[in-house]
């Protein structure tokens, strides 16, 4: 089931571990793609420099806060014309150093647009989304105008 769930977020992801805790669902996920595409020159690479893990909050599942432990690869770019020697693999569902998925940010912005950040944080907490008032304010500033 978790494989189908994670593919709704990105069809190239696979789930390697799935845990349901009291208040959280934790999914370990990684890309199934063999290669990464250099964001600077567009050239694919399969030569891996290193791996690390990002912790990203996603929209709640069954009223539990949902955490993705995303395995990220750093690749070498072998194009001598490219100004960069390494690059980190990118994903469509989260910004390069984001701590929340784009769809969660959308949910937070939608919930918060017409509320004070205090009320919004409370409402989101009741909905199993962990977000601070200051994050809400920053997201609203960045996404101003998106919700009409
Ligand atoms: Zn490159």
């Amino acid at each position: 089931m978790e494989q189908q769930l994670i593919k709704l977020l990105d069809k190239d992801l696979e789930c390697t571990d799935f845990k349901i805790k009291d208040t959280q669902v934790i999914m370990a996920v990684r890309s199934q793609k063999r290669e990464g595409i250099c964001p600077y020159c567009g050239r694919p690479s399969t030569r891996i420099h290193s791996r690390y893990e990002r912790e990203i909050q996603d929209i709640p599942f069954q009223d539990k806060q949902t955490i993705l432990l995303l395995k990220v690869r750093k690749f070498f770019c072998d194009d001598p014309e490219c100004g960069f020697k390494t690059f980190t693999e990118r994903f469509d569902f989260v910004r390069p150093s984001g701590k929340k998925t784009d769809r969660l940010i959308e949910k937070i912005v939608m919930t918060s647009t017409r509320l004070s950040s205090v009320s919004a944080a409370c409402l989101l907490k009741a909905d199993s989304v962990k977000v601070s008032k200051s994050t809400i304010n920053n997201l609203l500033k960045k996404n101003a105008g998106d919700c009409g």
Side-chain angles (χ1 to χ4, degrees):
M1 176 197 70
E2 62 270 22
Q3 299 298 348
Q4 284 163 305
L5 274 177
I6 203 65
K7 284 190 190 315
L8 295 174
L9 178 61
D10 183 329
K11 63 176 174 44
D12 293 318
L13 288 178
E14 67 173 341
C15 181
T16 55
D17 195 25
F18 183 74
K19 284 196 190 83
I20 299 180
K21 301 194 167 186
D22 285 348
T23 58
Q24 285 184 320
V25 171
I26 299 175
M27 297 178 87
V29 297
R30 65 180 180 204
S31 172
Q32 284 182 311
K33 286 184 185 165
R34 213 169 63 85
E35 52 187 32
I37 307 289
C38 176
Y40 310 108
C41 68
R43 191 182 151 126
S45 170
T46 53
R47 213 150 67 81
I48 293 169
H49 173 279
S50 53
R51 287 183 172 83
Y52 65 101
E53 193 174 80
R54 286 171 66 182
E55 192 177 316
I56 299 166
Q57 193 183 170
D58 193 14
I59 52 173
F61 176 66
Q62 300 282 62
D63 280 339
K64 292 180 192 291
Q65 189 197 348
T66 300
I67 301 292
L68 306 176
L69 300 175
L70 178 64
K71 268 274 184 317
V72 182
R73 294 167 293 178
K74 196 169 177 181
F75 292 93
F76 288 103
C77 182
D78 292 322
D79 190 334
E81 305 275 293
C82 181
F84 295 85
K85 289 200 162 42
T86 60
F87 65 90
T88 303
E89 87 184 296
R90 305 288 169 100
F91 296 89
D92 289 339
F93 58 85
V94 62
R95 290 163 204 199
S97 56
K99 298 252 185 249
K100 295 180 177 63
T101 57
D102 289 346
R103 64 184 182 179
L104 178 62
I105 291 175
E106 210 171 289
K107 180 185 171 78
I108 293 169
V109 170
M110 294 275 270
T111 308
S112 313
T113 313
R114 284 174 182 83
L115 295 172
S116 72
S117 56
V118 180
S119 316
C122 286
L123 191 64
L124 286 160
K125 191 178 170 205
D127 203 12
S128 308
V129 174
K130 197 177 160 201
V131 62
S132 69
K133 285 173 290 176
S134 59
T135 304
I136 290 177
N137 284 326
N138 288 336
L139 289 173
L140 285 176
K141 264 180 234 156
K142 273 193 231 160
N143 296 275
D146 284 5
C147 300

